[in-house]
Structures are given as structure tokens and as C-alpha cells.
């Protein structure tokens, strides 16, 4: 079993969404990606909490929480070491075609992560750069600008992009949050910049404490990142991954990434 649609098994080749669904026409819907370790979804509760917040922002009705939990666990069990994507579509608005919203749960294979990531800095002109209004930090399907920035970076020989606001503040990656080590502490952009409240970012506070480092949130320009002792990408699929190159600059690497990753894996083992 790889795909569930509204809780029913669907063959992967037959899985589809109506062309009249606003998820297709307008990117109207929400999603989550949950990491599965040996069939056990990690931090599923926080992921479903965020899914509920995202759905509420778009006034979407979710299935019962117990059903969502069960569907993710069933798909994770089938996928083993994988990522489980949960998509809730907005349904249709065409008066001639009745298209209800769908809840899709499917596992996907994990993509390899380079030993040292190479990221291309760019300005995210579409990003609000502030936590203003009810729609900031929502994990909705309208990820086209983020994906386009990743594709642009890869066409130029990088692994991904590193986004900054129009005011010059470092924000996040298209699908990951960023942190760095400087002055004996870990620094990471604040949620007040309108970045996603990453589940892996939240675990950074737990793992940093385990390795004896403080985490400070704030606003910094790219120069602060370029002069850091280590730069890290954190996400559900990347876990804790060191960044070795930012644009034309090779940045320092060190032991903190490995220590944080080991502490992160301890959390995974404790939850499994």
C-alpha cells in the first residue's frame, strides 16, 4: 500500500485529483511531510497540529484527528524508511461539477542529502518577510515560488537556494530552515519574519540543549551567515545537514552539526 485517498487504498497508477479541484487550479490546499523511521512516523503529533492550523487558516475541514493519525501510521508502516506526504485539497467551486475536497496520504522515497550542501542566496520577493496577517507561515500547496527558486539554484550548480527578505534578512530555504553557529551559540531566524514554524526547527531547541549550546532567534543579514563557524540546514528530510558553500563563499564546518544530528537521532530512537 502506497496511497490512501480519504482512508481508502488506491493503486499508485490510479491515484488522481479532479481537474476541477482548486488544489489543481489554484494551489488551494494544505500539506505536511512526516519522516518515517523504519515505519514509525516521527513527531506526528506536532505535524498534525500544524496541519490543523494551516487548514483553519484556509477554512478547510479536516478528517477526524484519529483517522489522520491512523492513515499516516498505516502508510508509514508500508513505506518503512520514507517520507509520508499528507495533502488536503480545497475541493471545487464549479457550479456544474461537484468536487469535494480530498485527503491524500502517500509515502515517498527519501532523496539523498549531500555531505556538504551548496546553497545559492537569493531574494524571496514573494515572501512577506514579517509575521503579519493570518496567512503567514502556512504550509499550503502554493509552493511554486519556493520550488522555482530551488530549480534556479540547481540550474546554476547548487543543491538549493537560501532565501532572504526584501529588507536583507536571512529567512529560510525553500523547504528547510537554517541555523548557524556564531559566538559560541546557535542563531536562527525568528518566526516574526514570517518563516515556517518548522518541526525540525523546534527540535533544535531540544537538541541544542543536549549538546550544551544556547539557541538565539533574531534577524541577521547574509554577512552573519558567511562569517559563521558552521551553517546548518534543518528539515524533516535533511535532518541536520551541514552547509559548506553559500554562493561564492566556502563557509566553515565543524563538530556541532554532527553533535546535533546525534542528539536528534536520540530523540528519534526514544520516540520509536
Amino acid at each position: 500500500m502506497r496511497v490512501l485517498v480519504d482512508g481508502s487504498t488506491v493503486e499508485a497508477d490510479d491515484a488522481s485529483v479532479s481537474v476541477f479541484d482548486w488544489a489543481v487550479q489554484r494551489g488551494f490546499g494544505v500539506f505536511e511531510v512526516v519522516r518515517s523511521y523504519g515505519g514509525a512516523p516521527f513527531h506526528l503529533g506536532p505535524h498534525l497540529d500544524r496541519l490543523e492550523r494551516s487548514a483553519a487558516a484556509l477554512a478547510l475541514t479536516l478528517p477526524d484527528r484519529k483517522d489522520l493519525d491512523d492513515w499516516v501510521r498505516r502508510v508509514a508502516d508500508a513505506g518503512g524508511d520514507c517520507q509520508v506526504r499528507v495533502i488536503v485539497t480545497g475541493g471545487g467551486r464549479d457550479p456544474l461539477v461537484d468536487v469535494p475536497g480530498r485527503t491524500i496520504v502517500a509515502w515517498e522515497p527519501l532523496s539523498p542529502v549531500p555531505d556538504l550542501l551548496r546553497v545559492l542566496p537569493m531574494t524571496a520577493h514573494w515572501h512577506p518577510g514579517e509575521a503579519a496577517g493570518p496567512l503567514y507561515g502556512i504550509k499550503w500547496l502554493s509552493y511554486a515560488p519556493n520550488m522555482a527558486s530551488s530549480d534556479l539554484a540547481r540550474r546554476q550548480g547548487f543543491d538549493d537556494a537560501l532565501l532572504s527578505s526584501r529588507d536583507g534578512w536571512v529567512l529560510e530555504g525553500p523547504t528547510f530552515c537554517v541555523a548557524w553557529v556564531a559566538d559560541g551559540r546557535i542563531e536562527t531566524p525568528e518566526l516574526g519574519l514570517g518563516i515556517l514554524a518548522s518541526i525540525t526547527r523546534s527540535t533544535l531547541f531540544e537538541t541544542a540543549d543536549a549538546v550544551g549550546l544556547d539557541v538565539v532567534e533574531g534577524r541577521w543579514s547574509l554577512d552573519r551567515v558567511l562569517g559563521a563557524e558552521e551553517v546548518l540546514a534543518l528539515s524533516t528530510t535533511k535532518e541536520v545537514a551541514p552547509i559548506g558553500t553559500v554562493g561564492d563563499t566556502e563557509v566553515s564546518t565543524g563538530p556541532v552539526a554532527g553533535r546535533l544530528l546525534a542528539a536528534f537521532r536520540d530523540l528519534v530512537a526514544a520516540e520509536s
Side-chain angles (χ1 to χ4, degrees):
M1 176 187 66
R2 183 167 181 185
V3 183
L4 294 178
V5 178
D6 296 333
S8 297
T9 302
V10 178
E11 293 298 325
D13 290 343
D14 297 327
S16 61
V17 174
S18 170
V19 297
F20 294 101
D21 195 311
W22 266 20
V24 176
Q25 294 186 350
R26 302 176 185 272
F28 193 82
V30 296
F31 77 102
E32 281 291 324
V33 177
V34 183
R35 179 71 179 263
S36 170
Y37 293 87
F42 178 64
H43 274 19
L44 178 55
H47 277 286
L48 294 183
D49 290 343
R50 188 172 61 185
L51 183 68
E52 290 176 349
R53 293 195 298 271
S54 297
L58 298 187
L60 296 181
T61 301
L62 293 179
D64 185 84
R65 172 81 174 230
K66 292 182 179 179
D67 289 333
L68 283 170
D69 186 284
D70 176 64
W71 298 345
V72 172
R73 293 185 186 280
R74 287 167 57 193
V75 170
D77 183 64
D81 290 318
C82 64
Q83 61 184 31
V84 178
R85 188 174 300 271
V86 182
I87 299 172
V88 181
T89 76
R93 305 293 192 278
D94 190 311
L96 302 180
V97 184
D98 182 22
V99 177
R102 299 295 187 195
T103 299
I104 302 160
V105 183
W107 69 262
E108 302 169 355
L110 296 167
S111 299
V113 179
D115 292 336
L116 284 176
L117 289 165
R118 304 179 71 250
V119 298
L120 176 65
M122 62 181 70
T123 301
H125 295 283
W126 66 92
H127 198 290
E130 60 179 354
L135 298 180
Y136 79 90
I138 298 302
K139 205 168 176 68
W140 49 20
L141 295 179
S142 305
Y143 256 49
N146 291 49
M147 297 301 92
S149 65
S150 290
D151 285 346
L152 175 61
R154 288 164 186 156
R155 286 197 298 271
Q156 297 189 33
F158 293 84
D159 298 305
D160 217 326
L162 177 61
L163 307 177
S164 294
S165 71
R166 285 164 287 184
D167 295 329
W169 303 123
V170 174
L171 297 170
E172 57 193 343
T175 60
F176 59 89
C177 64
V178 64
W180 54 89
V181 181
D183 296 334
R185 66 187 190 181
I186 297 173
E187 297 174 346
T188 192
E190 64 181 44
L191 294 180
L193 287 164
I195 63 174
L196 184 71
S198 160
I199 305 301
T200 311
R201 179 184 182 277
S202 68
T203 65
L204 173 65
F205 293 85
E206 300 175 68
T207 53
D209 184 64
V211 299
L213 292 174
D214 293 327
V215 180
V216 177
E217 302 173 84
R219 300 185 178 210
W220 291 275
S221 67
L222 186 63
D223 287 343
R224 182 66 168 176
V225 178
L226 296 179
E229 298 163 31
E230 296 183 48
V231 186
L232 314 169
L234 304 100
S235 76
T236 293
T237 54
K238 290 180 174 63
E239 300 178 314
V240 181
I243 293 174
T245 303
V246 179
D248 295 328
T249 303
E250 290 188 9
V251 296
S252 300
T253 58
V256 173
R259 290 161 56 196
L260 287 172
L261 179 58
F264 179 84
R265 296 264 173 90
D266 287 342
L267 288 179
V268 171
E271 188 174 307
S272 299

